[in-house]
Amino acid sequence: MRLILIRHGDPDYERDTLTEKGWREAKLLSERVQNWKVDDVFVSPLGRARDTAEGCLKAWKKQAKVLPWAQEFIYGDKLLWDYYPADWTSRSENFCESDWLGLPNVDEKSRQAYKSVCTELDKLLSNYGYERDGRFYRVKKHSDKTIVFFCHFGVSMIFLSHLINISAQALLHGTFLPPTSVTVLNTEERRGDEAYFRIERMGDCNHLINGGERISESGYFTEIMQETKQREE
């Protein structure tokens, strides 16, 4: 079974759509994926994700099912991925699979939302024959289907955190998915009914590189800080 996570294009957050650059990115994405064999498509209810999916859906001649729980992971007063290094690395719990959920800076809304997203993801996977058993999945019925999610950076990290059993904080702060990037996971099924989702590629932007479109730094604080430093100098 294959899961493909696609982040929305360069965002116009104020209008919840795409910037002019974001629309160019989405067009290059749709050209890249037009010959993909896709079985089912799911999309966040937010406009920037649905706009990104539009061209791809036309190419595939498919409709997407809207998943409310695949919206961006913003529930508390502070973004979970908006901490400075010294503020989050000082707590070893942030590097543990689920211990980070118990830290004081994680509000109850975010804590419950994390659990809810994981639960809903498992429900969806069970419809394809994969049922969660501790930290892996039991294959009740093998599936060769490819399913695509058009969503967001934060919630994609929640998905990955649950699927490969890594702290969401470590992923949120230590990785980056550029706008319209493609992340692919496949099930590894080598013994009996055991399955584990394994990342084949992460944050792939070949369609932008090949199309001569600069990779957006939206959400990538390294680039923002470099620009700030240059202005100060």
Side-chain angles (χ1 to χ4, degrees), residues 202-231:
M202 186 172 178
D204 184 329
C205 290
N206 275 334
H207 54 287
L208 301 183
I209 296 170
N210 294 336
E213 184 69 39
R214 178 180 59 83
I215 296 174
S216 172
E217 70 276 5
S218 178
Y220 191 34
F221 298 115
T222 299
E223 294 295 324
I224 293 173
M225 293 305 292
Q226 287 177 349
E227 292 172 5
T228 301
K229 184 179 180 181
Q230 290 171 357
R231 288 198 296 268

Side-chain angles (χ1 to χ4, degrees), residues 18-232:
L18 304 179
T19 62
E20 183 177 341
K21 172 175 171 51
W23 284 109
R24 293 198 304 271
E25 294 173 345
K27 183 176 185 299
L28 289 170
L29 174 68
S30 65
E31 292 170 355
R32 172 184 180 175
V33 308
Q34 60 183 329
N35 294 321
W36 284 9
K37 180 184 178 300
V38 170
D39 295 289
D40 298 316
V41 186
F42 301 96
V43 66
S44 156
L46 300 184
R48 53 192 183 273
R50 299 177 75 165
D51 288 342
T52 302
E54 183 178 287
C56 299
L57 291 170
K58 287 180 180 178
W60 295 328
K61 295 181 173 57
K62 286 187 173 293
Q63 294 185 332
K65 180 178 180 180
V66 177
L67 299 177
W69 49 271
Q71 67 178 7
E72 184 54 295
F73 198 82
I74 302 176
Y75 293 92
D77 297 329
K78 186 175 177 62
L79 293 175
L80 289 180
W81 57 92
D82 198 23
Y83 295 102
Y84 295 111
D87 296 338
W88 75 275
T89 59
S90 60
R91 298 296 296 264
S92 60
E93 293 93 333
N94 278 318
F95 295 90
C96 298
E97 179 185 343
S98 57
D99 290 357
W100 65 275
L101 286 167
L103 291 176
N105 63 287
V106 181
D107 61 273
E108 186 61 24
K109 285 184 179 179
S110 296
R111 187 177 297 111
Q112 292 304 318
Y114 177 85
K115 295 177 180 178
S116 176
V117 169
C118 294
T119 297
E120 292 299 327
L121 179 58
D122 282 343
K123 286 181 182 177
L124 186 148
L125 293 176
S126 70
N127 292 333
Y128 292 89
Y130 294 81
E131 294 189 4
R132 186 85 175 187
D133 182 4
R135 291 184 173 91
F136 67 102
Y137 292 83
R138 294 287 182 186
V139 183
K140 301 301 180 181
K141 182 180 179 181
H142 174 75
S143 174
D144 288 320
K145 288 191 173 183
T146 294
I147 62 176
V148 179
F149 298 85
F150 287 90
C151 49
H152 312 263
F153 168 69
V155 76
S156 292
M157 292 300 101
I158 304 304
F159 285 9
L160 296 180
S161 167
H162 184 59
L163 292 170
I164 63 175
N165 305 291
I166 292 179
S167 161
Q169 286 288 26
L171 288 170
L172 287 163
H173 289 90
T175 64
F176 175 58
L177 300 181
T180 69
S181 65
V182 176
T183 297
V184 181
L185 300 94
N186 298 296
T187 53
E188 185 175 90
E189 304 175 35
R190 294 189 297 157
R191 184 176 70 175
D193 64 349
E194 300 174 9
Y196 197 82
F197 284 93
R198 195 161 186 176
I199 299 174
E200 173 190 303
R201 72 193 78 169
M202 186 172 178
D204 184 329
C205 290
N206 275 334
H207 54 287
L208 301 183
I209 296 170
N210 294 336
E213 184 69 39
R214 178 180 59 83
I215 296 174
S216 172
E217 70 276 5
S218 178
Y220 191 34
F221 298 115
T222 299
E223 294 295 324
I224 293 173
M225 293 305 292
Q226 287 177 349
E227 292 172 5
T228 301
K229 184 179 180 181
Q230 290 171 357
R231 288 198 296 268
E232 290 174 350

